[in-house]
Amino acid sequence: MRIRVVNPNTTAAMTELIGASARAVAGPGVLVDAVTSATGPASIESHYDEALSVPGLLAAIADGEACDVDGYVVACFGDPGLDAARELARGPVVGIAEAAMHAAALLGRGFSIVTTLDRTRGRAWELAHRYTAPGACRGVHACDIPVLELDADPHLADRVAALAGLALEEDGSDVIVLGCAGMSGLCEAVSARLGVPVVDGVGAATLLVQSLVTLGLRTSVRNEYAPPLPKPYTGALAGFGMTMQQGSAQSGSAKSPVSRGSRAM
Ligand code: 5HY
């Protein structure tokens, strides 16, 4: 089984961390292929960054389809381009925020998210309202460390744990969700300090994709996640247009602008 974990920002050092976290949990016989977006922002900390990270993400998904990748992780806590990626991929596509929040909801009555900059809290709330039942997400808290400064902070675990402890008290929650792929690998340290489950979306998403593929489950070709309709694309995105052959999901044809081969229903 081959799972592609896509870092939608363009910072290779973060991809190294993300790949290590995914490989640490992946089962035997699972090849984790961690890739860095070739185009877009160095980090994703705003709606603007998120919007402009999507073409690079989709190019990595399209390339994966040409390499017969079995499933994908979108390794950014804003889950950028998740629905669009599902229109391209034959296999499952899971976002790290999606996986972390679903996992947290299985472990307690309420969870709190600890993320990076305050301005990204709104997006985390939007996703919580999409993915989980009302009241499951009790709070979103920012440690105000920029994404690209996380790995330079020698006291990161202490800072995240301190904020997470305040969040548990303030929100009355039972579980902590790490709100950035760059915090991946902090679970044990933070959980040891607080005595509650701490969920990292990279690991949760990797194993969720692995489980779905093991069950033989793929993204549906019906309705909303059918391949994009063929039409001209111009300018910088000219290469993203789907051809007639690739645009028809009903015949089970390929979904990606560059992939070959048909897709089983
Ligand atoms: C992430 N940004 O996981 C998000 C974190 C955030 O570049 N990778 C990023 O703050 O939304």
Side-chain angles (χ1 to χ4, degrees):
M1 184 188 308
R2 183 170 182 180
I3 297 176
R4 175 163 284 189
V5 180
V6 184
N7 175 11
N9 75 37
T10 55
T11 300
M14 269 188 77
T15 309
E16 294 295 312
L17 169 68
I18 291 164
S21 295
R23 289 185 190 99
V25 299
V30 176
L31 171 69
V32 171
D33 171 27
V35 301
T36 307
S37 174
T39 178
S43 64
I44 299 163
E45 300 171 311
S46 66
H47 296 294
Y48 183 86
D49 291 344
E50 182 163 331
L52 293 177
S53 74
V54 174
L57 169 87
L58 295 178
I61 301 285
D63 176 71
E65 289 300 284
C67 306
D68 286 334
V69 164
D70 295 294
Y72 301 88
V73 171
V74 177
C76 169
F77 200 76
D79 290 355
L82 180 60
D83 292 312
R86 287 174 174 159
E87 292 181 14
L88 287 187
R90 285 159 294 191
V93 186
V94 175
I96 66 171
E98 179 180 45
M101 293 187 201
H102 284 304
L106 299 174
L107 302 169
R109 294 289 282 174
F111 62 86
S112 297
I113 298 170
V114 173
T115 189
T116 55
L117 298 184
D118 194 70
R119 65 182 295 168
T120 69
R121 292 173 59 244
R123 178 64 177 156
W125 273 118
E126 258 174 21
L127 295 176
H129 293 147
R130 171 177 168 177
Y131 298 143
T132 60
C137 181
R138 301 276 176 82
V140 181
H141 305 260
C143 60
D144 265 332
I145 304 173
V147 171
L148 298 184
E149 293 179 20
L150 289 171
D151 61 353
D153 187 332
H155 306 295
L156 182 63
D158 292 329
R159 289 181 66 176
V160 170
L163 181 61
L166 291 175
L168 290 169
E169 293 308 313
E170 192 176 304
D171 301 343
S173 52
D174 320 308
V175 181
I176 292 296
V177 167
L178 298 176
C180 177
M183 294 179 180
S184 183
L186 288 182
C187 292
E188 264 182 58
V190 176
S191 184
R193 284 168 172 76
L194 299 177
V196 299
V198 176
V199 183
D200 158 45
V202 173
T206 300
L207 282 178
L208 192 47
V209 170
Q210 180 181 316
S211 300
L212 292 168
V213 173
T214 301
L215 291 168
L217 297 171
R218 291 177 157 189
T219 299
S220 176
V221 292
R222 279 175 60 82
N223 299 327
E224 199 167 318
Y225 290 149
L229 298 173
K231 65 190 67 173
Y233 272 55
T234 55
L237 302 179
F240 282 82
M242 301 284 278
T243 62
M244 287 304 289
Q245 182 269 336
Q246 291 159 338
S248 56
Q250 278 63 30
S251 65
S253 65
K255 291 191 77 176
S256 156
V258 293
S259 72
R260 287 172 298 284
S262 64
R263 175 186 173 192
M265 299 308 282

